[in-house]
Structures are given as structure tokens and as C-alpha cells.
Amino acid sequence: MKNIVLCFLIVFSFSLVSVHSQEKFTLNGTILEEKSNETLIGVSILFPELQTGTTTNEYGFYSITLPKGSYKIVISYIGFATKTKTIVLDKNITINFSLTDAIENLDEIVITENVEKLNIKAPQMSVNRLTASTIKQIPVVLGEADIIKAITLLPGVTSAGEGASGFNVRGGSVDQNLILLDEATIYNSSHLFGFFSVFNPDAIKDLKLYKGGIPARYGGRVSSVLDIYQKEGNSKEFHANGGIGLVSSRLLVEGPLKKDKGSFLFGGRSSYAHLFLPLFDIDNSAYFYDLNTKLSYRLNDNNNIYLSGYFGRDVFRINDSFENIYGNSVLNFRWNHLYSDKLFSNLSLIYSDYYYDLKLGFVEFDWVSGIQNFNMKYDFKHYINNTFKLQFGLNSIYYKFNPGEIKPTTPTSGINPFKLIDKFAFENAVYLDAEQDISDKLSVAYGLRFSSFLRLGQDELNIYENNRPVIFNDDFKIYEQAEPIGTQSFKRSDVIAKFFNVEPRLSIAYQLNSKSSIKASYNRMSQYLHLLSNTSSPTPLDVWTPSGKYVKPQLLDQYALGYFKNFVDNSYSLEIETFYKKVKNRIDYIDGANLIANNAIEQVILNGKARAYGLELLLKKNEGKFNGWLAYTLSRSEQQTKGRTPNELGINNGNWYKTPYDKTHDVSFTGSYQLNNNWKINTNFLFQTGQPSTFPNSQYVYNGINIPNFSDRNSNRLPSYNRLDISATYAPEQKKYSNWQSYWVFGIYNVYNRRNAASITFGKNDVSGNNEATRLSIFGMVPSISYNFKF
């Protein structure tokens, strides 16, 4: 640890000295979209004479320090007209630029935006970036554009199954992904149990998926980071856009609070298929709704404030006997402040909540659970010079976990009120990130994150003999729940358990030539929260629990190596990466574990370990009438829990076994062809190895009852998954003096009607008496149509 810090200080000191080696000045500013004043992320600011440049940050801000002189500056952002200007840099100056659409008369849906182009020189690797327009072109089920479904077409990213919520990255579980919406944590990313995602594509400006080489400013998860930013709203004039589909509709409005200074954005979505169910004498219903909002205001040249929020709910009802309501709520206040032309800061105050409510009318009680957190972040970015940038900051999160509460709904229900014990925790971190060009060919990004986690006091905590809440029965060779030998109570200010971790990060890029490079990365990360689930895909019933006296934090070490190339005048790009990662303290479950309404969850879990490794390939065509990508992943994901003593068998006899997220082969293709000014054809194809499962391999009869014997954990698989989707977008010509723009999307999901297996169950046929396997398939062929508009 001391050596790492010493090396960093030496490099940092050398960089500071080089700043003063000759007379230099700083150029900074913000880059906006001319029509709306929307800030643009990732815009390239280039100086051809010096063969150097920079890009805008998440708030459209840029800063670069150069020697005194006169230079041509080129502002480039795909989908917008390139802007060129000559500047004289003889003092520190601020210049804001506004960019216009490259093709003014085409709608956003037909503009080819390729901000996803590969950056050969940058040390960052294992990152994928998508625009809202790219996501809208991908055919999806029921015609609703979907961020989560879009990223599962990328290498190393899969879903837990058709109709399943969440996504898996490089063999990791759903809870190992950090999902951020305007920096606020989203705990459940799905509507209607995975049929839709919670992200309204009309409200989204930019997203990045980090699969490896994750910068030190991110922490708290060990698999990936999905960082999503909402639009800020139009500060020049009022606009609206939306869409009407077969099962859902959406509307987004934006406009100025004060022209050129402040803006608002409000967006809403809702499904309404349930409204037609009474016509078919069906008393059940399932629907969702969500709201996105953002207020932005520029106080002066050095200060901007933002208030953004999201609220979403799902409702699933069966007659009067069952009702399920769940969803996310987030609120974030942010303050951007420019301390100097080189030092940018962002302060965020964030509230995030995941709520779950299950009303069981037939037994007359209500079950409520959830997780809340209050988060304070203060981040700084220091543009020291054109070859050295520094980011640093701190983060504090206070958690409240509600594992569950039972409330009787009638005086005669016979159910006694019962509350599982609330849990509390405090997570803190400080970090330092640096990005440096060592030479014209060698660039590095390195950082250090120091995190701590304090499990705070609760009303009651079980005490076990030898601190072992799970015991091994030598006679039956099985794990069992230990009986507590007592309990201990704490004040909220007490600390039950504390954890500290140092998390180094390193990425290196060596440029072979102007078109290709090799990159390598290493990152260590810690995760203090755990999602308890013994199903292959998460459901809202899953319970989050913090690390503590009996549950250790997960620790990841990941290594990656890649080759990157642009060719054919940058029209094509190729990425090849190989990775290996290992995770300590991965939770595993004893056979027969009960996770719901369990006040002593430590009695059914053990700490194991996991590993994943593989090869990823991504070939992209970025320009022309036809563009898209082909992705392939070859990987393995495994888990192991050995016995704690020589007498214990461990889980699965202590052997490695495939996790539910193991997909040996994963192939995806997505393409878009601009037929003419009015029509565009989009398609995607997926093939994945079947999901690991555990099937019975024999049976015996006891007292006339057939009892199955099951094979080793996840030693079987569901049939392979494959699907072809296609859609056509028709955009009528816009009337000459009309602001109204519209387009139709016609789609077919699962063109050849493959009945992909979501699960296979085994049972006895009531008629024949024979054992049989039953395949559950969620979707066959699904046609869709939607009308989208903008004015």
C-alpha cells in the first residue's frame, strides 16, 4: 500500500513540475446542442497541429492546457456538423460551443449517431457506450424500446432468461451490477417481471456500461457499472415527443424555465393492456407506470444546479386474492461548480428507495419490505495539463433495510402482526483517479479507492456457539440451521461489524499505430450488499442484506487483455478481449434454504467463492447505409463452497459447479439498413447456450410416494436459446412549415416462433401416471406496431 501511494506521488509531482516547464494557458468551456442547449457528453475537441485534444465530461464541460500560440480547433461529434475555429491562446480563456445537427431535415431516429466509435488511444477498456437513437432501432418484444434488452446484445452481457429481470455481466449475478440513473442507485431495473426496463428511452441522453477496468470513482459492486444520464431539457423552446403502442404509451415534454438559463423535463409511461381484460371476462391485471423529471438552472458561468427524479410502480393483481406492488423512487440534487478554469466539481445529494408490497387477500395479510439509502457524493476533476487529468472525491451512504413486515388486513384474519428486524449500515469511500499520457503511444489510467463499511446496531442479533449459525450434521451429511444460544441488543450508534478495503485500479493502452492498440487492465472491487435469491433470476421478493458479523463482503480481482483496431477509414472497428476474474465470499445456500420471512438469514447461507473467464469479440460497422455489430462471447462461470472442516462436504461435495449465469456460447447480431429517406430496416439475432439447471436423474418409492434424486448442482442445461427479430421504421416526409415529426415502427419479435424454454419442471402425469417433463415458454412470435411523434 505504501509503495503504491509513493509511486503515485512521484508521478503526480513529475506532472506538476512539467506544467511549469514552459508558458501555457488554459482553454475551457461547455459544448451544447444549438437547438436545445442540451449539454453533449464525449464531444472531441481536437488540435491538429499538436496532435492532441480532450473530450467533454458528463456535464458537457471541457478543459485543456496548451503552450502559448495560435491554433486551429476542431469540434467533432458524430451526428452533428463539425465546427472549426482558429483561436489565439495567449491567456486563459473560456469558449462555449454550440453544435448543429449534421442533417437538419431528418428526425433523430434516422440520424446515424456513432458516439460508440472506438477510442484507440484511451486506456479505458471493457466499456460500451450506446445512444438513445441506437437503442430505439433495436427490435424488442411488444414494440417498446428497451435499454436492458439492448445491452444484452453486447459481448459479455446476457440475461437470466426470457422474461427475466436484470442482466448478467461476465458470468456475474444481477446484484453484482451497479445501476445508476443520474448517479442514483436503481435496485430493480425491470417492469412487469422483466418484460420492460424501468428506463424511458425518450428521457435518456447517454449510457455507459463498464465491464472491467472500472475507474476508482465507482464502487460497491463487483461485476459491472451501468451509468445512465437523463436529458436536461430544452432551455430555448417548448417541445414534446412520445409514442403510442399496443400495450403502452409514453409522453415527454421539455422547455425553458427561463430562456437560455433554465429548463424542465417531464416524462411519463404507462401500460394499459389490463384495461381490456374485463372485455374477455378476466379479472386479473398487470401494468406499470413511471415518471421521469429533471429541472436544470444555470446560476452563472461557474454554477449550475439540477434536480432530477424517477418514480415507478408495477401492479400485478389476481382477482381480489392477490396483489403485488413494487418499484423504485429516486431523487437527486446536484450542484456543478467551477473553482477555476482547470478544476470542475459536482456535489450530489441523493435519496433512493426500493419498495415491495404483497397483499394476500385469501389469507388476509399484507407483506411489506424494501431498502432505502441516503447518499452524499462530492467529486472533483482537475485538468492539470493536456497529458494529465486527475479525479478525486468522497462518498457516504446510509442504508436502512426492511427485510419484511406482516400486517393483518382484517380484524378476523387470524394473522398476528410480525416485523423482521430492521438492519442499518454506513458505507464510506474516498478515491483518486488519474489519466496520463506517458508518451505519444503509451497512456495509463490508475487509481485507488479506500472503502469502509460499518454494520450499525439493531434491536436484536442472534449469538451462536463458535459463531457458526450453520452446522453440519455428520450423521446425515447435511447442513442445518444452528439454534441460537442467546441474543444481543445494540443501540443504533453501535457498530456490530466493520470492514475496510483498499481497491487499486489500473488500465494501460499502447498504440501500435494510428489504427490499432493493445490494452490491459486490473481492478479490485468490494461489495458490501448481497441480494438473497435461490432462483436463477431475481424477483421482487428477493431480499437485500448487508455484510455483518456472519456475512462477509464480496471481493473481486479482475484482469483483462485486449486488442483494438479501426480500419477501412474508421468505418469498421474490432475489439477482442480476454478476461479472468475471481470473487471471494460469494454467498451460497444450503439445501432447502428458506429466504423469505427469515429473521435469521445467516442460518441458511455459507461463504464460498466464484470465478469467471472468457473471450469476447465485437465487430462493428459504424458508417454508411448499413451499420451494426456482431458480438461473440466464449466464457465459463463457476462457484465453489468447500467444507469448513475436513469432515464437512461443502456445497456440491465441495466441487466447482456452473453458476446460473454460465453461458458457454453467446452470439448476437444487430443491424440497421437505411433503405431510403422514409424507410429503415432493423434486425437482431441471438444464440445462447442453455441456462444451467438441476434435473432429477433417478427416483425411489417410499410409502407409495415417488421421491426424485437430483443430479449435482447445475449439471444440466435448458435447451439452447435462439431468436430472430425484425422491425421496419417508416418516417413520412415532414411538411414544409410544420414542426410535427412522426414515424411508425412495425416489428416482429421471434420471427420463426421458436418456443424457447424459460424453465423445465418435472412431475407425474395425472392421467397416464408416468413421469414427464414440462417446458415453460413465455413468448412465441409477437407482432407489434407503434406510432411515435415529436413537435
Side-chain angles (χ1 to χ4, degrees):
M1 173 64 183
K2 290 181 179 179
N3 291 335
I4 293 175
V5 175
L6 180 60
C7 290
F8 178 82
L9 290 175
I10 292 173
V11 174
F12 180 54
S13 300
F14 175 79
S15 301
L16 288 178
V17 170
S18 67
V19 174
H20 303 288
S21 60
Q22 63 184 114
E23 190 175 17
K24 295 185 178 183
F25 298 101
T26 299
L27 169 69
N28 73 345
T30 303
I31 299 184
L32 311 165
E33 182 182 355
E34 186 176 63
K35 286 184 176 180
S36 64
N37 279 341
E38 185 82 38
T39 57
L40 298 175
I41 301 173
V43 178
S44 296
I45 300 97
L46 305 173
F47 294 83
E49 297 101 323
L50 300 177
Q51 290 293 299
T52 190
T54 187
T55 58
T56 56
N57 70 2
E58 293 83 357
Y59 299 93
F61 177 80
Y62 75 93
S63 177
I64 188 167
T65 300
L66 300 170
K68 179 180 179 180
S70 176
Y71 303 107
K72 182 172 77 171
I73 181 173
V74 179
I75 312 296
S76 175
Y77 192 63
I78 300 299
F80 289 80
T82 298
K83 179 167 285 191
T84 303
K85 182 183 175 113
T86 299
I87 63 167
V88 176
L89 195 62
D90 55 4
K91 61 180 178 179
N92 295 333
I93 56 175
T94 297
I95 303 178
N96 299 324
F97 293 96
S98 295
L99 301 184
T100 58
D101 291 347
I103 306 175
E104 292 279 357
N105 62 339
L106 290 183
D107 183 74
E108 177 190 21
I109 196 69
V110 296
I111 291 176
T112 304
E113 293 188 41
N114 292 313
V115 296
E116 304 97 332
K117 265 189 175 178
L118 196 62
N119 190 333
I120 293 296
K121 190 174 181 180
Q124 185 65 62
M125 64 182 298
S126 305
V127 175
N128 296 110
R129 184 177 174 195
L130 296 175
T131 63
S133 61
T134 300
I135 293 167
K136 289 177 181 179
Q137 294 172 12
I138 297 173
V140 292
V141 67
L142 301 176
E144 180 75 18
D146 194 299
I147 286 177
I148 301 301
K149 296 298 186 296
I151 66 174
T152 59
L153 295 170
L154 297 169
V157 187
T158 63
S159 68
E162 196 164 60
S165 58
F167 58 97
N168 309 109
V169 176
R170 290 184 170 177
S173 62
V174 172
D175 69 307
Q176 292 175 335
N177 302 318
L178 177 63
I179 303 175
L180 301 173
L181 179 63
D182 276 349
E183 303 181 33
T185 303
I186 300 293
Y187 288 96
N188 189 314
S189 62
S190 299
H191 282 311
L192 296 183
F193 306 100
F195 295 150
F196 299 91
S197 78
V198 299
F199 307 108
N200 182 346
D202 289 338
I204 301 305
K205 175 164 63 173
D206 185 85
L207 72 86
K208 281 185 179 179
L209 176 67
Y210 296 84
K211 299 178 294 186
I214 300 173
R217 64 182 179 274
Y218 298 108
R221 301 294 188 275
V222 296
S223 193
S224 75
V225 177
L226 179 60
D227 197 4
I228 302 173
Y229 280 87
Q230 294 187 114
K231 294 178 180 177
E232 294 162 9
N234 193 317
S235 66
K236 285 183 173 290
E237 54 190 13
F238 177 86
H239 284 281
N241 63 283
I244 302 171
L246 294 177
V247 297
S248 66
S249 291
R250 64 190 190 278
L251 178 67
L252 182 140
V253 296
E254 55 183 326
L257 292 171
K258 184 177 182 181
K259 191 169 183 179
D260 294 328
K261 288 186 69 71
S263 62
F264 70 86
L265 179 147
F266 294 102
R269 288 190 305 168
S270 179
S271 64
Y272 41 71
H274 66 287
L275 299 177
F276 303 102
L277 295 179
L279 299 176
F280 303 96
D281 199 26
I282 299 176
D283 198 19
N284 305 336
S285 64
Y287 62 94
F288 74 87
Y289 59 92
D290 56 27
L291 301 170
N292 295 78
T293 183
K294 194 165 187 178
L295 304 176
S296 308
Y297 197 83
R298 182 170 62 88
L299 300 175
N300 52 46
D301 290 341
N302 294 332
N303 294 278
N304 294 274
I305 56 174
Y306 307 88
L307 181 65
S308 59
Y310 168 84
F311 179 83
R313 284 293 181 265
D314 281 74
V315 179
F316 178 54
R317 183 182 297 115
I318 300 177
N319 301 318
D320 294 327
S321 60
F322 176 95
E323 185 178 40
N324 187 198
I325 303 173
Y326 65 94
N328 301 276
S329 303
V330 300
L331 185 67
N332 183 10
F333 173 78
R334 281 173 291 168
W335 168 46
N336 289 172
H337 178 63
L338 195 60
Y339 282 96
S340 71
D341 50 14
K342 294 183 179 182
L343 184 59
F344 178 91
S345 72
N346 177 67
L347 172 67
S348 296
L349 303 175
I350 307 167
Y351 169 77
S352 181
D353 170 74
Y354 176 66
Y355 170 83
Y356 174 80
D357 184 9
L358 177 63
K359 302 180 187 294
L360 298 175
F362 63 96
V363 289
E364 300 178 329
F365 76 82
D366 188 3
W367 167 272
V368 178
S369 63
I371 176 174
Q372 295 176 308
N373 75 57
F374 301 88
N375 185 357
M376 189 279 288
K377 294 171 73 266
Y378 205 6
D379 302 297
F380 299 84
K381 187 164 187 177
H382 193 182
Y383 300 81
I384 295 176
N385 58 40
N386 65 319
T387 63
F388 190 73
K389 301 178 183 65
L390 191 67
Q391 286 188 259
F392 53 94
L394 55 88
N395 184 202
S396 293
I397 309 174
Y398 175 78
Y399 296 99
K400 177 184 178 181
F401 302 83
N402 176 11
E405 181 178 5
I406 294 177
K407 302 176 181 178
T409 55
T410 66
T412 59
S413 69
I415 301 293
N416 294 322
F418 179 68
K419 177 76 173 68
L420 299 182
I421 297 172
D422 287 340
K423 300 172 183 177
F424 305 89
F426 196 33
E427 182 176 354
N428 300 284
V430 294
Y431 75 88
L432 196 62
D433 258 329
E435 187 172 334
Q436 184 175 11
D437 295 334
I438 303 297
S439 68
D440 290 340
K441 291 184 176 294
L442 182 63
S443 301
V444 296
Y446 48 95
L448 198 64
R449 184 181 183 91
F450 180 74
S451 63
S452 67
F453 190 82
L454 307 179
R455 175 70 178 273
L456 303 179
Q458 62 187 55
D459 294 339
E460 190 176 275
L461 182 70
N462 289 334
I463 302 173
Y464 301 93
E465 186 175 355
N466 298 323
N467 280 330
R468 287 197 171 180
V470 178
I471 57 175
F472 185 73
N473 188 317
D474 282 313
D475 296 328
F476 295 99
K477 302 299 180 183
I478 59 173
Y479 286 98
E480 297 177 336
Q481 302 179 33
E483 289 293 330
I485 60 176
T487 60
Q488 188 175 4
S489 297
F490 299 89
K491 296 184 297 184
R492 184 72 52 80
S493 57
D494 292 337
V495 176
I496 299 174
K498 61 180 69 174
F499 304 94
F500 302 94
N501 282 291
V502 177
E503 307 171 31
R505 318 286 171 87
L506 175 65
S507 297
I508 302 174
Y510 182 77
Q511 195 169 348
L512 301 173
N513 51 52
S514 62
K515 301 295 184 182
S516 63
S517 66
I518 55 174
K519 300 183 183 184
S521 69
Y522 164 77
N523 59 277
R524 163 164 276 227
M525 302 184 74
S526 57
Q527 178 171 333
Y528 301 103
L529 308 187
H530 310 266
L531 182 63
L532 302 175
S533 173
N534 54 5
T535 61
S536 59
S537 61
T539 67
L541 268 172
D542 293 329
V543 177
W544 288 86
T545 192
S547 298
K549 185 175 181 179
Y550 305 113
V551 183
K552 298 178 181 178
Q554 300 176 68
L555 299 175
L556 164 87
D557 290 288
Q558 180 172 214
Y559 309 84
L561 178 67
Y563 172 75
F564 303 81
K565 182 177 178 62
N566 286 337
F567 50 96
V568 191
D569 294 328
N570 294 328
S571 294
Y572 292 83
S573 62
L574 175 67
E575 304 178 37
I576 302 175
E577 289 192 39
T578 182
F579 68 91
Y580 176 81
K581 65 181 187 179
K582 56 183 180 179
V583 179
K584 298 179 182 178
N585 303 325
R586 179 62 184 154
I587 279 183
D588 212 340
Y589 308 99
I590 67 174
D591 292 333
N594 176 30
L595 304 180
I596 306 302
N598 189 340
N599 216 5
I601 206 72
E602 68 274 5
Q603 295 178 348
V604 296
I605 59 178
L606 293 170
N607 287 313
K609 58 183 178 180
R611 67 184 180 190
Y613 48 91
L615 176 71
E616 298 173 355
L617 181 148
L618 180 63
L619 176 64
K620 300 180 70 175
K621 186 176 186 300
N622 299 309
E623 297 177 353
K625 283 192 171 184
F626 175 80
N627 56 76
W629 68 79
L630 173 67
Y632 172 68
T633 306
L634 173 68
S635 64
R636 175 63 63 88
S637 175
E638 298 174 311
Q639 189 162 335
Q640 181 187 50
T641 303
K642 292 184 176 181
R644 298 167 296 185
T645 67
N647 294 330
E648 291 189 12
L649 297 180
I651 302 298
N652 198 52
N653 292 318
N655 299 319
W656 287 99
Y657 66 92
K658 294 184 287 290
T659 70
Y661 332 110
D662 177 77
K663 304 288 178 70
T664 308
H665 301 283
D666 179 17
V667 182
S668 62
F669 167 79
T670 182
S672 177
Y673 181 72
Q674 186 73 51
L675 196 61
N676 52 46
N677 287 339
N678 302 111
W679 286 95
K680 175 176 281 190
I681 307 299
N682 306 296
T683 185
N684 56 257
F685 171 78
L686 291 88
F687 173 88
Q688 294 177 355
T689 302
Q691 183 176 322
S693 298
T694 306
F695 297 158
N697 55 13
S698 63
Q699 68 174 13
Y700 62 92
V701 179
Y702 180 76
N703 288 336
I705 301 174
N706 291 333
I707 300 176
N709 281 323
F710 285 88
S711 56
D712 291 342
R713 281 199 185 187
N714 291 344
S715 59
N716 310 107
R717 287 187 185 272
L718 297 177
S720 62
Y721 179 96
N722 60 87
R723 191 188 79 238
L724 173 68
D725 311 323
I726 190 168
S727 71
T729 300
Y730 172 68
E733 290 187 14
Q734 185 180 354
K735 293 181 180 179
K736 190 171 183 180
Y737 298 105
S738 174
N739 290 325
W740 183 273
Q741 302 175 50
S742 65
Y743 61 93
W744 293 84
V745 180
F746 309 91
I748 301 177
Y749 178 90
N750 197 358
V751 171
Y752 47 81
N753 197 34
R754 177 174 170 83
R755 309 298 296 186
N756 288 296
S759 65
I760 293 179
T761 57
F762 297 84
K764 185 177 181 180
N765 188 295
D766 293 334
V767 178
S768 66
N770 297 326
N771 293 329
E772 64 179 8
T774 304
R775 174 191 294 201
L776 172 64
S777 298
I778 297 178
F779 291 118
M781 183 174 67
V782 182
S784 63
I785 181 173
S786 64
Y787 175 72
N788 302 273
F789 57 88
K790 181 179 181 180
F791 62 89

